[in-house]
Amino acid sequence: VHNHLESLRNDGFRFSAIRNKGYRLEEEPKSFHPALFAALLQENPCPFIKSFLAMPEVESTNDLAEAELSSGRETPFLVIADTQTAGRGRRGRAWHSPPGKNLYLTLALRPSLPASRLQTITLWMGLRICQFLRDSMALPVLIKWPNDLMVHNRKIAGMLTEARVDAEQTRDLVFGLGLNVNSQEMDFPKELSRLASSLSLNLGRELNLTRLAHALAGHLALAVQDYLDDQFSSELTRLWPEFDFLRGQNVEAGEIKGRVLGINTSGSLRLERPDGSITLLHSGEVSIGSRPA
């Protein structure tokens, strides 16, 4: 027991000894700890998630999840890492992934879905994450179509959904989330210092990454169950205006300019052009005015 406690102390746990009774846990590490995550799942299970992989370092949680899918691992499962050496966002862009600060996780599954339904899953998952962060932390989190989460005009999270599709049917799918939790301004590269933020910077305190990961995993599981059961469409349409970062903004997408009217039922962005016509954007980069959004 003594050796085990010493190992936990080295990981950031703190205990006090109580005579004739044992030890009491006084403090947990702020960084993600796989053993604590496993204990939290045992205490408060998430039946939908069959297993999880927790790694100190990976190239990308999405890449590891895809490899596990290829090897036949039972789904749904989670991959969580303390740091990523090749984390990526949309269009292959690098995702800044310092150790001990943030959450990098991927939910992997094999859904029986037509490929046409995949366009809305990132929006739905993002909306539910916004709800979770608002409810638990009272932060005004918004979702910027199609895959960013924003607080006070700065990005706190990015989402990346990737799927393999055979004959218009989804073979497997990974939903990746990079959430800035305890990063401080000095932790961001210079090019991101005015664009990025974190939960800690907005709350004025650090958060326990393991307990946050456990709570978030439960909400992601419920969200994806609703999606798979097709119990989301009306809710997505109803709630989107409340969480829409771009609503009413004049934006540009390449040569296309217009005012954002929201999304349609398929998740496409609706733009009102200067001539009054309506254009749908199914994917792509969106900028507010002349500055990248």
Side-chain angles (χ1 to χ4, degrees):
V1 172
H2 175 77
N3 290 337
H4 187 56
L5 288 174
E6 284 303 307
S7 176
L8 290 173
R9 285 191 178 99
N10 291 334
D11 288 344
F13 290 89
R14 296 292 176 265
F15 304 91
S16 61
I18 304 175
R19 184 180 294 273
N20 299 325
K21 290 187 177 181
Y23 297 89
R24 179 170 60 197
L25 178 62
E26 300 285 356
E27 185 179 342
E28 298 171 354
K30 292 292 193 298
S31 57
F32 180 80
H33 196 279
L36 178 57
F37 186 76
L40 291 172
L41 277 178
Q42 186 173 4
E43 179 183 354
N44 188 7
C46 181
F48 179 75
I49 296 175
K50 304 300 183 183
S51 63
F52 77 95
L53 285 170
M55 310 292 289
E57 179 180 292
V58 297
E59 290 187 357
S60 158
T61 57
N62 271 24
D63 286 350
L64 180 54
E66 289 167 357
E68 291 294 314
L69 284 166
S70 296
S71 69
R73 190 183 187 97
E74 185 180 10
T75 60
F77 64 85
L78 274 176
V79 176
I80 306 176
D82 185 55
T83 185
Q84 300 179 115
T85 58
R88 65 181 187 277
R90 292 179 71 241
R91 300 178 180 268
R93 292 192 179 96
W95 181 264
H96 183 58
S97 307
K101 297 282 186 178
N102 306 316
L103 282 182
Y104 317 108
L105 61 86
T106 294
L107 177 62
L109 53 149
R110 296 186 181 93
S112 297
L113 291 175
S116 58
R117 277 195 49 196
L118 293 181
Q119 189 171 346
T120 52
I121 189 168
T122 304
L123 303 181
W124 172 247
M125 299 295 281
L127 188 147
R128 291 298 296 272
I129 295 169
C130 285
Q131 286 182 310
F132 165 69
L133 295 175
R134 282 194 181 190
D135 292 344
S136 61
M137 301 175 194
L139 289 176
V141 189
L142 300 173
I143 179 170
K144 187 184 88 64
W145 184 91
N147 69 324
D148 295 339
L149 302 186
M150 314 289 290
V151 176
H152 300 308
N153 295 315
R154 292 193 176 194
K155 182 174 176 176
I156 64 160
M159 301 170 290
L160 180 63
T161 301
E162 298 175 298
R164 288 188 291 182
V165 178
D166 290 336
E168 296 302 312
Q169 191 73 15
T170 304
R171 180 178 173 187
D172 50 45
L173 179 149
V174 295
F175 170 80
L177 172 69
L179 176 62
N180 296 335
V181 181
N182 289 327
S183 285
Q184 303 301 304
E185 290 190 4
M186 66 186 72
D187 297 319
F188 294 113
K190 185 177 180 181
E191 64 270 19
L192 298 178
S193 60
R194 294 189 178 185
L195 302 174
S197 187
S198 70
L199 299 179
S200 176
L201 284 171
N202 285 278
L203 293 170
R205 59 183 173 87
E206 288 191 333
L207 298 169
N208 183 308
L209 284 175
T210 311
R211 291 189 176 272
L212 177 60
H214 176 254
L216 187 57
H219 283 267
L220 291 177
L222 290 174
V224 79
Q225 282 181 291
D226 286 342
Y227 191 88
L228 295 177
D229 294 339
D230 205 15
Q231 302 296 313
F232 76 97
S233 298
S234 61
E235 193 79 348
L236 177 62
T237 304
R238 182 179 69 84
L239 290 174
W240 185 260
E242 180 183 349
F243 294 90
D244 185 1
F245 178 76
L246 294 175
R247 186 182 185 188
Q249 303 247 33
N250 292 313
V251 302
E252 300 176 2
E255 300 298 317
I256 300 173
K257 298 181 181 181
R259 183 172 65 91
V260 175
L261 301 179
I263 59 173
N264 67 4
T265 56
S266 298
S268 298
L269 194 68
R270 299 176 64 241
L271 295 184
E272 182 183 32
R273 305 291 295 275
D275 62 4
S277 62
I278 305 298
T279 294
L280 295 178
L281 292 182
H282 305 293
S283 62
E285 298 298 313
V286 176
S287 301
I288 299 176
S290 59
R291 290 177 52 196

